[in-house]
Amino acid sequence: MGQGSRVSYFYDQEVGNYTYGYDHCMKPFRIRMAHDIIASYGLDKKMTVLQPPRATAHEMTQFHTDEYIEYLRRVTPEVAEIMPSYNECFLPLLDCPPFDGVYEFCTISAGGSMAGARRINHGEADVVINWAGGLHHAKKGEASGFCYVNDIVLAILELLRYHQRIVYLDIDVHHGDGVEEAFYTTDRVMSVSFHQFGNFFPGTGDVKDVGVERGKYYAVNVPLREGIDDETYEFIFRRVMRDVMETFRPSAVVMQCGTDSLSGDRLGCFNLSMQGHAACV
């Protein structure tokens, strides 16, 4: 992020009201905590802070199936309890519970990323941040890995209206499978994922997975072993991304910065510091 960049930051204070459940690893209130830290350091004064519009069902079905979005709109814990077989078609209950307000939560996340893409398209910002976004595992017709609606795919589809080539860069400890799958057959989006691999969710992202049809060689996977440190990660990252940017020459970059890559995370097993993780941004 260069000096003088026009940065837009999307935040909806209601996002912290939702809960996946007491024992669940995903805690939306941490989005509110992050915002409070940003504000306490005065960083919000250096950005244009915006309330994200709520994504509509029609907007979300630009990627997701009508049936799935309608299910999310109607589902509640009570509905899921009396319709277990129907529920299994859309939600893996352990990772993606049908919590109260799940649909509204998705509209906030997706709305921020899509609105951010539009600001890039219209030249209103150079950098856009959506702290409630990055839900990279969601598939076209089902939830996966804590992710219900794939805001990243929706944002990229919006960017493709104005940009010929887009790089999707994922430094979450988990493979960005939902986004890669969505663009696996196109040469307009190059997906690049640095992730832990080998008996680790979601089990995809082998170095041999490179895309198919027109998208062949436009998926780049960098599977890594647990315990990787800052120095090794940066060595690999810089060389891969230098070649990606010089060869593909995108006009827009979408980045997922999952902090489960940090040392001490409950799920991830990397040994990255905050400085090492941030160096990739």
Side-chain angles (χ1 to χ4, degrees), residues 9-10 17 22 24 98-99 107 111 124 160 170 185 187 194 208 212 214 222 226 236 244 265:
Y9 168 74
F10 283 93
N17 295 338
Y22 178 75
H24 202 285
F99 61 86
T107 65
E124 298 169 339
L160 285 171
D170 193 316
T185 61
D187 57 2
F194 296 80
K208 298 176 183 178
V212 296
R214 291 185 63 181
V222 187
E226 61 184 47
I236 297 169
V244 165
D265 184 79

Side-chain angles (χ1 to χ4, degrees), residues 153-275:
V153 171
L154 292 169
I156 292 174
L157 290 174
E158 191 70 32
L159 288 168
L160 285 171
R161 299 175 189 271
Y162 286 72
H163 299 269
Q164 183 61 31
R165 292 184 302 278
I166 296 167
V167 159
Y168 168 64
L169 171 58
D170 193 316
I171 59 171
D172 192 289
V173 75
H174 301 94
H175 176 233
D177 58 332
V179 182
E180 178 185 273
E181 182 180 301
F183 300 106
Y184 209 55
T185 61
T186 181
D187 57 2
R188 294 186 61 196
V189 178
M190 178 170 281
S191 62
V192 187
S193 180
F194 296 80
H195 51 270
Q196 186 173 327
F197 186 74
N199 194 27
F200 191 72
F201 181 87
T204 53
D206 193 288
V207 68
K208 298 176 183 178
D209 298 334
V210 296
V212 296
E213 300 174 5
R214 291 185 63 181
K216 192 171 185 179
Y217 305 124
Y218 289 87
V220 179
N221 283 297
V222 187
L224 302 167
R225 294 181 180 178
E226 61 184 47
I228 191 168
D229 60 14
D230 289 354
E231 183 178 359
T232 307
Y233 195 96
E234 183 176 357
F235 178 85
I236 297 169
F237 181 88
R238 286 188 179 277
R239 281 154 182 76
V240 171
M241 291 311 301
R242 179 190 61 203
D243 289 347
V244 165
M245 299 302 284
E246 289 180 356
T247 304
F248 190 59
R249 296 188 178 278
S251 56
V253 176
V254 177
M255 190 169 186
Q256 202 272 19
C257 303
T259 55
D260 49 9
S261 297
L262 295 175
S263 176
D265 184 79
R266 288 176 62 182
L267 299 178
C269 298
F270 283 175
N271 194 29
L272 301 184
S273 69
M274 286 190 289
Q275 291 77 16

Side-chain angles (χ1 to χ4, degrees), residues 55-73 90-91 103 106-107 109-111 114 135-144 146-155 157 177-179 181-183:
T56 65
H58 175 72
E59 288 175 327
M60 291 187 286
T61 55
Q62 292 178 45
F63 171 60
H64 295 285
T65 64
D66 294 350
E67 185 181 25
Y68 175 53
I69 294 301
E70 179 62 17
Y71 171 81
L72 288 179
R73 193 176 70 82
F90 301 110
L91 302 182
Y103 180 78
C106 293
T107 65
S109 173
M114 295 183 75
L135 302 179
H136 59 168
H137 294 306
K139 305 302 197 311
K140 189 177 184 68
E142 63 180 329
S144 176
F146 312 165
C147 306
Y148 299 84
V149 168
N150 202 315
D151 65 287
I152 301 171
V153 171
L154 292 169
L157 290 174
D177 58 332
V179 182
E181 182 180 301
F183 300 106

Side-chain angles (χ1 to χ4, degrees), residues 113-124:
S113 293
M114 295 183 75
R118 286 191 287 269
R119 286 187 70 80
I120 295 291
N121 284 344
H122 299 153
E124 298 169 339

